[in-house]
Amino acid sequence: MDAQEIIARRVAQELKPGNLVNLGIGIPTLVANYVSPDLKVFFQSENGLIGTGPIPEQGLAHPLLTDAGGRPISALPGASTFDSAMSFALIRGGHVDVTVLGGLQVDAGGHLANWMIPGKMVPGMGGAMDLVAGAKRVIVAMQHAAKGKSKIVKQCNLPLTSSRAVSLVVTDLAVIGFPDGKAALIETAPGVSVGEVMAVTEAELVVGDSVPEMKI
Amino acid sequence: MDAQEIIARRVAQELKPGNLVNLGIGIPTLVANYVSPDLKVFFQSENGLIGTGPIPEQGLAHPLLTDAGGRPISALPGASTFDSAMSFALIRGGHVDVTVLGGLQVDAGGHLANWMIPGKMVPGMGGAMDLVAGAKRVIVAMQHAAKGKSKIVKQCNLPLTSSRAVSLVVTDLAVIGFPDGKAALIETAPGVSVGEVMAVTEAELVVGDSVPEMKI
Amino acid sequence: MRAVSVEEAVAMIPTGASLMVGGFMGVGTPERLLDELVRQKKSNLTIISNDAATPGKGVGKLFDATLVSRLTATHIGLNPKAQQQMLTNQVAVDLIPQGTFAERIRAGGSGLGGVLTPTGVGTLVAEGKRQIEVDGKPYLLETALRAQFALVHAFLADYLGNLSYALTSRNFNPVMAMAADTVIVTAEHIVPVGVIAPDHVMTPAPLVDYLITNSNG
Amino acid sequence: MRAVSVEEAVAMIPTGASLMVGGFMGVGTPERLLDELVRQKKSNLTIISNDAATPGKGVGKLFDATLVSRLTATHIGLNPKAQQQMLTNQVAVDLIPQGTFAERIRAGGSGLGGVLTPTGVGTLVAEGKRQIEVDGKPYLLETALRAQFALVHAFLADYLGNLSYALTSRNFNPVMAMAADTVIVTAEHIVPVGVIAPDHVMTPAPLVDYLITNSNG
């Protein structure tokens, strides 16, 4: 199982029946592959759709039915469409149960930075700031480290996406939560020891007596 | 021609082709009777309809198609319906070209009081405050005097509906405008002299060299 | 979304609850829920509704049964019973402009703290409110409004909970369906998934918590 | 509403005008109006649009032709030309959160001075903005946004100007159709009055100033 699959499978377990879920681009998009249709989860595309389905078959793509990247998408039976003011009323208003977003850094207090690297081209935050400010639960799905550097940091030195803390971080090595506002190691990836996680994590992690392995 | 008909006929002349118009209850409602269908004026009912038509024939009333008083109404071809947030976005946002409202008092500065008499039962302002704050033009349609007392006063002693001045007042005796923020006599009703208007008006009126009669 | 009977739904509403009730002069009001509130004698209610309808109709039924202790509305001129209960201080009434009422509820459902409106500036409505200038123009800060429950009436509801409304019965129903902790819906017709086209859904399914399925009325 | 050709419509837009342009990554964008803006070389434009689309598509065409001097958007990551014009200061770009973008335009069209949003509090987005507390919670005051022209693309337009939008091409079109002095519309299909049912009209006719009637494209 590769790193992305570990992350996507583990995040999928966080979704509950009937949840309204918004998936960011990158690893978060893969989460949909591991969610059983029986769960009846609703996926929102912030360009104005609830009920997104798989990529349409050749010849069945409609130019006016796309995802937030402008790519053809399908709509499941029971889908609904709406304008952007409504789409973000749903997001900001707490009607999205779970959003899954990529991250550049998450710090020991659960703060996320995922939209800007100073000195580099800034493409814009799109819907990320509203999602972190408004969704009921914010889950960050990302690699634990990049170029050998921990992405779970003591304090973000990149600009924050929100002053609100995220709910959960799922990486290829661990699941990290923020009970009492402090980063805590909740699970380790299969075959990864607590010591191995600690060794590659810059932030201090609260560790309980026994840390279970992800069941994926 | 009775007082109400004089007022309604004269107000109707203020409506221009394609205008979006909101009529209040009472005398304002009568204005629709004197507007030619050729004008293609759109009438809005603030409970969520553009394109109100006449009272439906017996047996053709639908319980879910009503005016703001809850009475059956009809919808003309090309009508549209919407929720109350949209209805007042249209009103507050300046998309309503003309609103015609009843009045208790209008003062020399054009301020309207029409929602509350202290000491009496206060039913609520409904949509009146938004209409006066937001419509492009606000026309007050009312009797010039009530119980022998001028309703065109020096200064309103009843609570104001808005700090914004109205555009025009049409009464059974006169048309009064507010160029430069001061009440001015623009027209008199047929057979009514300038002197007669002045005699029953508490507010000072600016009067030009010649004041035309309403052409109704 | 869960399908429940009207009796079960109303049993979940405690005495003293705050309820947003859709409808405009009783048009687009979930009458069956109001009848059941009366039958189960849920009293001391805080009601947020455009108006008080008329005796015997819509929200008016709650005043007939003297179940209301607070009311936020825009106009109660056509319900003498509600007026009398206001004058005798049985009901504390907060009357606010209709556009402000709509925006406060929309803000409550959209995660906004409030909006700046020109409506009411320089009037009695401004009393006790913050006035904020933007580009030299004064506005009132009107804050978000929410309730524990929203009682909503749709024309069509599908088996997932997607809703559409007909003609002037839409009014405050869609904004209220976003501004309460729990949303309970009655519908004129409950239809299979797909009958309401995606573009015609006015309240998306995930917003609805309970759909009343008693067949009568 | 007046029916005009695309040439006449664009001739009304002066150089240096501010334009809201509907669409999301080019989906729901009035392409014919953009093509004609390029053909008539309307330069120095202030563009308010969710994104910069991609080169050759939607708003991207205006960057291809270097007609833009200011851009307010939420994301321009998929248009390298727009990015380059930002980096070389040919275009002054204001990037704002997408929900804030939607609300500012909605406020502009609804007569609101602004809204209070939690989005951006404690981030770079808060710089230079008023922070206002409501019930102890901090919000940013985000002010209304308007333009001289809104360029809107509908799926259906009827002969009066009523509009409906299809699927994800709705996006910012309805809010922009309320937030500009002059609203110009292209539609996939122009249909007789009555084809769009009253409940399915998303932009009521009185909001539309000009409907493009050239038969091609």
Side-chain angles (χ1 to χ4, degrees):
Chain A
M1 210 183 294
D2 71 5
Q4 296 199 342
E5 187 177 337
I6 291 171
I7 298 168
R9 280 185 183 276
R10 181 59 189 84
V11 170
Q13 295 176 350
E14 295 292 316
L15 309 187
K16 295 190 173 48
N19 272 181
L20 177 57
V21 176
N22 186 301
L23 302 178
I25 53 166
I27 299 177
T29 307
L30 304 175
V31 171
N33 300 339
Y34 304 104
V35 177
S36 159
D38 299 341
L39 263 192
K40 294 187 173 157
V41 162
F42 297 94
F43 288 104
Q44 178 199 29
S45 187
E46 68 261 31
N47 54 325
L49 174 65
I50 288 178
T52 67
I55 295 164
E57 286 174 56
Q58 186 75 22
L60 295 182
H62 192 281
L64 302 183
L65 183 58
T66 52
D67 68 14
R71 289 172 298 265
I73 203 171
S74 65
L76 299 174
S80 53
T81 58
F82 32 80
D83 70 17
S84 296
M86 174 65 169
S87 195
F88 281 85
L90 290 167
I91 289 169
R92 207 190 310 96
H95 305 287
V96 170
D97 296 290
V98 180
T99 185
V100 185
L101 295 168
L104 296 168
Q105 294 180 330
V106 178
D107 70 21
H111 300 105
L112 168 69
N114 79 341
W115 71 283
M116 177 182 182
I117 300 176
K120 289 210 179 172
M121 162 64 204
V122 179
M125 67 294 281
M129 286 192 173
D130 294 288
L131 281 160
V132 180
K136 274 205 199 96
R137 293 189 77 211
V138 179
I139 300 178
V140 178
M142 65 178 190
Q143 305 269 1
H144 204 92
K147 297 176 190 162
K149 279 189 71 174
S150 173
K151 294 172 75 174
I152 316 286
V153 296
K154 284 205 173 81
Q155 189 156 14
C156 291
N157 56 20
L158 296 177
L160 295 185
T161 304
S162 176
S163 55
R164 181 183 173 209
V166 303
S167 315
L168 203 69
V169 179
V170 177
T171 77
D172 49 328
L173 300 183
V175 178
I176 293 164
F178 303 89
D180 316 315
K182 278 184 198 157
L185 184 61
I186 291 177
E187 293 175 17
T188 55
V192 176
S193 72
V194 169
E196 284 171 303
V197 173
M198 304 298 273
V200 294
T201 305
E202 182 196 308
E204 267 184 65
L205 295 178
V206 177
V207 181
D209 290 342
S210 80
V211 177
E213 261 193 13
M214 296 181 192
K215 290 192 189 66
I216 48 175
Chain B
M1 212 183 290
D2 70 7
Q4 297 199 341
E5 187 177 339
I6 291 171
I7 298 168
R9 280 186 182 277
R10 180 60 190 81
V11 171
Q13 295 175 351
E14 295 294 314
L15 308 186
K16 296 193 173 45
N19 273 182
L20 177 58
V21 177
N22 186 300
L23 302 178
I25 52 166
I27 299 177
T29 306
L30 304 175
V31 170
N33 300 339
Y34 305 103
V35 178
S36 159
D38 299 343
L39 263 193
K40 294 186 176 159
V41 163
F42 297 94
F43 288 105
Q44 179 199 28
S45 186
E46 67 261 32
N47 54 325
L49 174 65
I50 288 177
T52 68
I55 294 165
E57 287 176 53
Q58 185 74 22
L60 294 182
H62 192 281
L64 304 182
L65 183 56
T66 51
D67 67 15
R71 290 172 296 264
I73 202 171
S74 65
L76 300 173
S80 53
T81 58
F82 33 80
D83 70 17
S84 296
M86 174 65 169
S87 195
F88 280 86
L90 291 167
I91 288 169
R92 206 190 312 97
H95 305 287
V96 170
D97 296 290
V98 180
T99 185
V100 185
L101 294 168
L104 296 168
Q105 293 180 329
V106 177
D107 70 21
H111 300 104
L112 169 67
N114 78 342
W115 71 283
M116 178 183 181
I117 301 176
K120 287 210 180 174
M121 163 62 205
V122 179
M125 67 294 281
M129 286 193 172
D130 295 286
L131 282 159
V132 179
K136 275 205 197 96
R137 293 189 78 210
V138 178
I139 300 178
V140 178
M142 65 179 191
Q143 305 268 0
H144 204 92
K147 297 176 190 161
K149 278 190 70 174
S150 173
K151 293 172 75 173
I152 316 285
V153 296
K154 284 203 173 80
Q155 187 156 16
C156 291
N157 56 20
L158 296 177
L160 294 185
T161 303
S162 176
S163 55
R164 182 182 173 209
V166 303
S167 315
L168 204 70
V169 179
V170 178
T171 76
D172 49 328
L173 300 182
V175 177
I176 294 165
F178 302 91
D180 316 316
K182 280 182 196 159
L185 184 61
I186 291 177
E187 293 174 18
T188 54
V192 176
S193 72
V194 170
E196 284 171 303
V197 173
M198 304 298 271
V200 293
T201 305
E202 181 196 306
E204 267 183 65
L205 295 178
V206 178
V207 181
D209 291 343
S210 79
V211 178
E213 259 193 13
M214 296 181 192
K215 290 193 187 67
I216 48 175
Chain C
M1 196 271 288
R2 254 189 66 205
V4 294
S5 69
V6 70
E7 294 82 3
E8 285 177 90
V10 170
M12 292 185 293
I13 300 173
T15 289
S18 63
L19 313 179
M20 286 187 179
V21 185
F24 195 117
M25 284 306 297
V27 178
T29 298
E31 298 284 354
R32 282 183 288 158
L33 284 164
L34 297 177
D35 290 338
E36 186 63 18
L37 282 164
V38 171
R39 200 188 66 81
Q40 293 190 24
K41 296 197 182 66
K42 301 289 182 171
S43 61
N44 194 26
L45 298 174
T46 291
I47 298 297
I48 298 167
S49 190
N50 179 63
D51 50 66
T54 51
K57 192 175 181 192
V59 176
K61 292 169 181 172
L62 302 179
F63 292 93
D64 295 347
T66 62
L67 298 176
V68 184
S69 62
R70 296 193 69 86
L71 172 69
T72 299
T74 77
H75 199 280
I76 61 165
L78 296 172
N79 189 331
K81 285 193 188 169
Q83 291 172 30
Q84 208 206 339
Q85 290 172 32
M86 176 173 84
L87 291 174
T88 56
N89 294 317
Q90 276 179 277
V91 181
V93 179
D94 189 17
L95 291 167
I96 62 183
Q98 203 165 121
T100 298
F101 184 75
E103 285 300 321
R104 289 184 63 192
I105 296 168
R106 183 182 178 276
S110 306
L112 301 172
V115 299
L116 303 187
T117 179
T119 304
V121 168
T123 75
L124 293 180
V125 166
E127 280 180 13
K129 287 180 188 149
R130 281 183 267 185
Q131 187 167 309
I132 291 174
E133 289 205 357
V134 177
D135 295 334
K137 211 185 145 188
Y139 297 91
L140 297 186
L141 169 53
E142 294 280 5
T143 57
L145 197 56
R146 287 185 59 86
Q148 290 172 273
F149 295 86
L151 310 187
V152 164
H153 186 64
F155 188 63
L156 302 181
D158 74 17
Y159 299 164
L160 281 171
N162 287 302
L163 308 182
S164 74
Y165 308 91
L167 301 166
T168 56
S169 73
R170 193 181 323 184
N171 54 70
F172 291 94
N173 281 297
V175 286
M176 288 179 173
M178 298 184 71
D181 303 336
T182 301
V183 176
I184 306 174
V185 175
T186 62
E188 306 262 331
H189 304 280
I190 300 179
V191 297
V193 169
V195 170
I196 314 175
D199 288 339
H200 299 160
V201 171
M202 297 167 190
T203 296
L207 294 171
V208 175
D209 296 298
Y210 297 97
L211 178 62
I212 305 299
T213 52
N214 306 41
S215 55
N216 64 315
Chain D
M1 195 272 287
R2 253 191 67 206
V4 294
S5 69
V6 70
E7 295 82 3
E8 286 176 273
V10 169
M12 291 186 295
I13 299 174
T15 289
S18 62
L19 314 179
M20 286 187 181
V21 185
F24 196 115
M25 284 307 296
V27 178
T29 298
E31 298 285 353
R32 282 184 287 159
L33 284 164
L34 297 177
D35 290 338
E36 186 64 17
L37 281 164
V38 171
R39 200 188 65 82
Q40 293 191 24
K41 295 195 181 66
K42 301 289 184 171
S43 60
N44 193 24
L45 299 174
T46 291
I47 299 296
I48 298 167
S49 189
N50 178 63
D51 50 67
T54 52
K57 192 175 182 191
V59 175
K61 293 169 180 172
L62 302 178
F63 292 92
D64 296 345
T66 63
L67 298 176
V68 183
S69 63
R70 297 193 68 87
L71 172 69
T72 298
T74 78
H75 199 280
I76 62 166
L78 296 172
N79 189 332
K81 286 193 187 169
Q83 292 171 30
Q84 209 206 339
Q85 289 172 32
M86 176 172 84
L87 291 173
T88 56
N89 294 318
Q90 277 180 276
V91 181
V93 178
D94 188 17
L95 291 167
I96 63 182
Q98 203 165 119
T100 299
F101 184 77
E103 285 299 322
R104 289 184 63 192
I105 295 167
R106 183 181 179 276
S110 305
L112 300 172
V115 298
L116 303 188
T117 179
T119 303
V121 168
T123 75
L124 293 179
V125 166
E127 279 180 14
K129 287 180 188 150
R130 282 182 267 185
Q131 188 168 307
I132 291 175
E133 290 205 358
V134 177
D135 295 333
K137 211 185 147 190
Y139 297 90
L140 297 185
L141 169 53
E142 294 281 4
T143 57
L145 197 56
R146 288 184 59 88
Q148 290 171 274
F149 295 86
L151 310 186
V152 164
H153 186 65
F155 188 65
L156 302 180
D158 75 17
Y159 298 164
L160 280 171
N162 288 303
L163 308 182
S164 73
Y165 308 91
L167 300 166
T168 56
S169 74
R170 194 181 324 184
N171 54 70
F172 292 94
N173 281 298
V175 285
M176 288 179 172
M178 297 184 70
D181 303 337
T182 302
V183 176
I184 306 174
V185 175
T186 63
E188 306 264 332
H189 304 280
I190 300 178
V191 297
V193 169
V195 170
I196 314 175
D199 288 339
H200 300 160
V201 171
M202 297 167 190
T203 296
L207 294 170
V208 175
D209 296 298
Y210 298 97
L211 178 63
I212 305 300
T213 52
N214 307 41
S215 55
N216 64 317

